[in-house]
Amino acid sequence: MAIRINNKIRMNNHYKKNQLIATFLLIVTISLVNINIQAKDRYNHLYVDLPFDMPLLERPQFPDNQVNVRDFGGISDGVHLNTEAFEKAFSTLAAKGGGTLIVPSGIWFTGPIVFRSNINLHLEKGALILFSPDFNLYPLVNTVYEGLDTRRCQSPISGRNLENIAITGHGSINGSGDAWRPLKNGKISRNQWESVVKSGGVLKDPNYWFPSESSLRGEIANANTPKKTFTDADWMSFKDYLRPVMISFIECKNVLLEGVLFENSPAWNIHPLMCENVIIDNIYVRNPVYAQNGDGIDLESCVNSIIVDCTFDVGDDAICIKAGKDEDGRRRARHTENVIVENCKVFHGHGGFVVGSEMSAGVKNISVKNCQFMGTNVGLRFKAGRGRGGIVENIYIENISMFNIPTEAFLFDLYYGSPKTSKIPLVDETTPAFRNIYVKNLNARNVNRAMFFNGLPEMNIDNIHVEDVIITANKGAELVESKNIQFTNVKIIPKKGPALILDNVENMKVVDLKYPDMMKEIVHLSGEKTKNINLPKDIKDDRIIKK
């Protein structure tokens, strides 16, 4: 009898144990499924009320293989050169079909890193990849820079014609850009200037320093955007001048950058070029305020991209959309299309959100929402010039806050890099066009000029809608060579001058314009082309000045 009871107890315990194991496995399975669903649905909220069709992007997936750069001879002492270790790690992981390359805590001093498909470069907490300032480690390569086919030094991190690549984690990447960049005396402190000059290099003039004779030769030859053909000997003679972008991914598909600090780039910081399905999520991009060409991210000729929850503090344009330059850009005919920018913060920068000036293949379907620009030279910056060509259209901007903007909150500059002339050229493929742009819920405080639309007489800025805007500024909004403009519920509080200055503006409708009660001159009209200006009836005629 006792034996039977014991057997029964053992069977019950075994049954309960199996039940617990089954329940545990079920919970784990459900958790993994939920995690997978959450990963797939992570960006769904960005598509709510999106005003254009765009495929739902998913993060790239990687095989379970893992390797550590230490396993390939890597030493994280900040002195040992780890170029070979990174190369061995990438090639070994690629031979396994891909996976994750772990970079643990430490200073990983290295030369250029070349990516492979299906690899996630993961920087753990405390990891710093520091690129060597030795120019000899970076050979000349054929590439595209500032929209033109050219040669530059190899980028610290590069990849071409790849799929499923990522840089993730909690670490930092430093491009040693201070070794590459020229400096102007007026942009840094006296102590910084004296220290830089004493460190070596050469002076072009008493206030313009270059890191080497080779670098100065490139400046004299105008090699940044060359207008003539150079020999191989020429290129080598000014090689130091050809500063690389720090992260260069060209014609890649399924790209993810997440969680990492990218800083101190030789030229632009991050440059996805002709890529598809790009996700930039929660990164910090930093350059000194005086960094020449120290852009944050330049998304060029890319299709389907997300830039979300990122912070920028840079020396040139922060979030910049491009699409090739002039004849080279039109010949490539690779436009930028379908971009979501959401919840990004920009501190220093020439522009907070920028389109151009390289946009010759066209830019369309861009959504920018819930961003803050705090101290950028310009807030929203659209720029091009005669000769560019290209159409920028279907841009939707909403919920933007700005503070301490020393120029304009909202700018169209169609004379960027091209002076005004008395002769108006005919419209052809080289004529840039900006149209169908919608700005809603913009609040800007402490701005120099509220807005400046500086269009071309042969191709006016066209169909711009501005709604629910409040701007406090030194000067009001000035519109030149623009047509089919609508302002709705716009409040402009200038310290001096009128709220609106319109010069050669056609077909403009203003509904519910707000301005200081004591303002004597509210609207200033000029230009022989100015016509069909529909102003609110509560603005008295004696407060509208016509010239």
Side-chain angles (χ1 to χ4, degrees):
M1 185 73 175
I3 294 172
R4 289 179 183 175
I5 292 172
N6 287 336
N7 286 337
K8 188 173 183 180
I9 291 171
R10 277 198 289 275
M11 288 176 66
N12 285 338
N13 288 339
H14 183 70
Y15 176 74
K16 289 178 180 179
K17 184 178 179 181
N18 286 341
Q19 270 191 321
L20 287 172
I21 293 172
T23 302
F24 174 75
L25 291 174
L26 180 62
I27 291 170
V28 170
T29 301
I30 291 172
S31 298
L32 290 173
V33 169
N34 285 336
I35 290 170
N36 191 41
I37 291 172
Q38 289 173 6
K40 286 188 175 182
D41 296 344
R42 181 165 181 164
Y43 304 109
N44 286 17
H45 69 284
L46 302 176
Y47 291 77
V48 176
D49 298 325
L50 192 67
F52 49 84
D53 292 331
M54 174 175 166
L56 185 63
L57 297 193
E58 295 183 6
R59 298 154 64 85
Q61 302 297 309
F62 302 96
D64 291 335
N65 304 316
Q66 271 195 11
V67 299
N68 191 308
V69 68
R70 280 198 179 125
D71 297 335
F72 299 89
I75 301 173
S76 58
D77 61 0
V79 177
H80 179 80
L81 193 67
N82 289 286
T83 314
E84 185 176 350
F86 275 109
E87 174 59 26
K88 286 181 178 178
F90 267 97
S91 60
T92 299
L93 198 53
K96 296 179 179 180
T100 300
L101 170 52
I102 300 295
V103 182
S105 178
I107 301 177
W108 298 91
F109 187 61
T110 184
I113 293 172
V114 179
F115 247 80
R116 309 294 202 280
S117 289
N118 302 309
I119 291 180
N120 175 14
L121 179 66
H122 184 80
L123 284 70
E124 293 185 335
K125 290 180 179 179
L128 167 62
I129 297 178
L130 176 63
F131 285 96
S132 171
D134 182 357
F135 300 161
N136 294 322
L137 297 177
Y138 305 86
L140 287 177
V141 296
N142 292 320
T143 187
V144 174
Y145 181 66
E146 292 192 349
L148 298 176
D149 296 333
T150 186
R151 298 185 193 181
R152 307 292 289 188
C153 290
Q154 182 177 338
S155 290
I157 294 179
S158 64
R160 190 184 290 254
N161 297 312
L162 305 178
E163 289 195 20
N164 303 323
I165 56 175
I167 301 174
T168 66
H170 307 279
S172 303
I173 296 176
N174 186 306
S176 291
D178 47 330
W180 293 83
R181 293 187 300 263
L183 279 174
K184 293 181 179 179
N185 187 8
K187 294 195 173 184
I188 56 177
S189 70
R190 173 191 272 185
N191 287 341
Q192 283 178 297
W193 176 253
E194 290 177 352
S195 176
V196 166
V197 171
K198 287 179 182 177
S199 70
V202 294
L203 292 172
K204 181 181 180 182
D205 59 48
N207 295 304
Y208 201 5
W209 175 88
F210 285 79
S212 68
E213 290 280 0
S214 172
S215 181
L216 177 57
R217 281 194 292 271
E219 171 74 8
I220 294 170
N222 191 27
N224 199 46
T225 52
K227 293 181 170 55
K228 67 175 185 177
T229 301
F230 294 119
T231 66
D232 289 345
D234 291 333
W235 287 107
M236 289 303 299
S237 72
F238 47 68
K239 173 180 174 291
D240 296 357
Y241 181 76
L242 303 171
R243 295 175 285 133
V245 301
M246 189 165 78
I247 311 296
S248 173
F249 291 139
I250 301 175
E251 295 197 284
C252 296
K253 185 175 182 179
N254 304 331
V255 178
L256 171 66
L257 304 182
E258 182 182 42
V260 174
L261 165 66
F262 299 86
E263 68 168 356
N264 198 18
S265 55
W268 298 345
N269 213 309
I270 300 167
H271 185 207
L273 172 66
M274 297 183 287
C275 292
E276 182 179 353
N277 304 341
V278 177
I279 298 174
I280 312 295
D281 188 347
N282 189 33
I283 65 170
Y284 183 16
V285 183
R286 196 167 75 111
N287 263 329
V289 67
Y290 53 80
Q292 287 191 28
N293 314 110
D295 295 28
I297 181 168
D298 293 271
L299 192 73
E300 182 170 4
S301 299
C302 293
V303 177
N304 304 328
S305 303
I306 292 173
I307 304 172
V308 61
D309 298 337
C310 296
T311 301
F312 299 85
D313 193 352
V314 295
D316 207 310
D317 291 329
I319 305 167
C320 194
I321 309 299
K322 298 180 181 291
K325 183 176 179 180
D326 299 346
E327 186 178 348
D328 282 356
R330 294 191 295 273
R331 175 180 45 77
R332 282 194 297 272
R334 301 285 292 270
H335 59 271
T336 292
E337 180 178 7
N338 297 344
V339 180
I340 297 173
V341 180
E342 170 87 18
N343 191 36
C344 291
K345 298 175 180 65
V346 182
F347 294 96
H348 293 106
H350 289 184
F353 171 76
V354 184
V355 177
S357 68
E358 301 93 288
M359 36 64 71
S360 299
V363 172
K364 65 180 179 180
N365 296 352
I366 313 292
S367 171
V368 183
K369 295 177 69 174
N370 303 316
C371 292
Q372 304 97 56
F373 307 143
M374 296 160 284
T376 59
N377 291 2
V378 187
L380 304 173
R381 187 184 193 194
F382 296 83
K383 55 180 178 174
R386 286 172 174 152
R388 285 286 188 274
I391 299 171
V392 173
E393 61 184 345
N394 304 342
I395 314 295
Y396 304 87
I397 300 171
E398 186 173 358
N399 297 338
I400 306 297
S401 299
M402 304 183 195
F403 179 61
N404 283 349
I405 308 297
T407 59
E408 291 84 18
F410 185 13
L411 171 67
F412 288 95
D413 182 5
L414 274 295
Y415 289 93
Y416 186 83
S418 60
K420 289 188 176 182
T421 60
S422 57
K423 185 178 180 181
I424 299 175
L426 297 175
V427 173
D428 60 18
E429 66 174 1
T430 71
T431 308
F434 288 75
R435 65 195 187 198
N436 306 337
I437 297 171
Y438 305 84
V439 176
K440 185 176 182 180
N441 295 333
L442 183 152
N443 194 335
R445 178 180 172 86
N446 197 20
V447 175
N448 184 46
R449 178 162 47 180
M451 306 179 207
F452 186 33
F453 295 5
N454 194 17
L456 299 172
E458 69 272 21
M459 182 63 74
N460 282 190
I461 299 162
D462 188 8
N463 195 31
I464 312 300
H465 292 243
V466 180
E467 181 178 359
D468 298 336
V469 167
I470 303 174
I471 302 176
T472 60
N474 292 326
K475 295 178 283 187
E478 181 176 358
L479 283 63
V480 182
E481 298 292 353
S482 305
K483 66 182 182 181
N484 303 320
I485 310 297
Q486 179 157 337
F487 280 17
T488 304
N489 190 28
V490 172
K491 184 175 184 178
I492 298 174
I493 309 172
K495 290 183 179 180
K496 59 183 179 181
L500 284 180
I501 302 170
L502 309 179
D503 181 12
N504 284 333
V505 175
E506 301 180 49
N507 304 327
M508 180 171 184
K509 183 178 182 181
V510 182
V511 178
D512 196 13
L513 177 68
K514 296 180 176 67
Y515 45 84
D517 292 337
M518 301 303 292
M519 179 176 284
K520 295 180 179 179
E521 184 180 333
I522 298 169
V523 181
H524 185 286
L525 304 176
S526 64
E528 59 184 18
K529 290 166 56 179
T530 295
K531 62 182 180 181
N532 297 332
I533 307 299
N534 188 343
L535 298 172
K537 293 181 179 179
D538 60 354
I539 301 179
K540 296 179 180 180
D541 289 344
D542 63 350
R543 302 175 84 178
I544 302 172
I545 307 302
K546 300 177 181 179
K547 291 187 178 181

